[in-house]
Amino acid sequence: MPGEGAHNASLMFVGEGPGFNEDRQGRPFVGAAGQYLNELLHSIGLKREDVFITNMVKCRPPNNRDPYPGEINACSGYLNAQIETIRPAVIVPLGRHALARWFPRDSISKVRARPRTFNGITVFPLYHPAAALHNGALRATIEADFAKLGALLKERESPGANAVSDTPDEADNSQQLSMF
Ligand code: URA
């Protein structure tokens, strides 16, 4: 399941791997987490067709287990090729597995919604939307983080017209969220 979206997208989302529904349909983020991702995109004025959505691993790990390092490694060439082909300006790793592709030593709870440049691309990590489905207390955090992503994109379009805050918010969900 390679991923889908605009081939000239300036924004790319990278999730973990296909789940049951994605595996059946051959499309990323079409299950419950995908519905929520659609809503989050909508909240910042975007549709799925505007962005490119893919995953770290291209095949479904059995029973939705975490992907093994060897599986992530085996799929990395595909992801690298997607990044080189689409050349997004901003990449959003969703959750800790995708975060590790760029910043393996960081924890998602600490670096979420903090933009950093990597090989000329702005990397803006966010919690995985499934995290909010497992833990409703996180919804507000993810929604606020998405709003920051929206502000960052606006700032890229018209620099100086919008104030972008890089101040982390006060919520500390690191304990509850270690699994994401
Ligand atoms: N979760 C992911 O990480 N990727 C998908 O495509 C669907 C759910």
Side-chain angles (χ1 to χ4, degrees):
M1 208 250 354
E4 69 179 13
H7 290 192
N8 61 351
S10 56
L11 178 58
M12 175 186 277
F13 289 84
V14 181
E16 183 178 320
F20 176 81
N21 292 296
E22 291 76 20
D23 193 40
R24 288 187 65 160
Q25 294 185 38
R27 300 179 56 211
F29 282 96
V30 291
Q35 292 306 312
Y36 190 40
L37 180 60
N38 290 347
E39 284 173 35
L40 292 165
L41 284 170
H42 186 73
S43 75
I44 56 169
L46 292 174
K47 299 188 291 295
R48 281 176 75 104
E49 305 80 72
D50 299 326
V51 304
F52 196 88
I53 305 177
T54 187
N55 282 301
M56 292 298 292
V57 295
K58 310 304 185 186
C59 296
R60 181 185 180 213
N63 302 317
N64 292 341
R65 65 158 165 73
D66 287 351
Y68 294 144
E71 293 166 341
I72 290 177
N73 218 15
C75 290
S76 65
Y78 295 113
L79 178 60
N80 293 343
Q82 287 178 311
I83 294 169
E84 278 164 29
T85 305
I86 293 160
R87 298 187 152 273
V90 180
I91 294 180
V92 176
L94 294 170
R96 65 186 171 96
H97 292 285
L99 172 70
R101 157 72 173 69
W102 287 273
F103 303 113
R105 294 195 194 149
D106 290 325
S107 106
I108 187 72
S109 56
K110 297 243 161 62
V111 302
R112 41 161 267 272
R114 290 174 167 227
R116 263 188 288 177
T117 305
F118 189 98
N119 285 348
I121 299 174
T122 300
V123 177
F124 191 91
L126 291 175
Y127 281 136
H128 195 291
L133 300 179
H134 289 270
N135 176 356
L138 268 192
R139 286 182 84 105
T141 303
I142 293 181
E143 287 163 20
D145 286 353
F146 248 83
K148 288 182 193 166
L149 173 63
L152 179 131
L153 297 173
K154 277 211 177 105
E155 175 65 19
R156 290 184 57 84
E157 273 170 29
S158 15
N162 312 276
V164 180
S165 163
D166 61 359
T167 312
D169 67 28
E170 298 304 317
D172 179 4
N173 299 298
S174 48
Q175 291 308 311
Q176 309 152 22
L177 281 168
S178 51
M179 64 182 293
F180 293 100

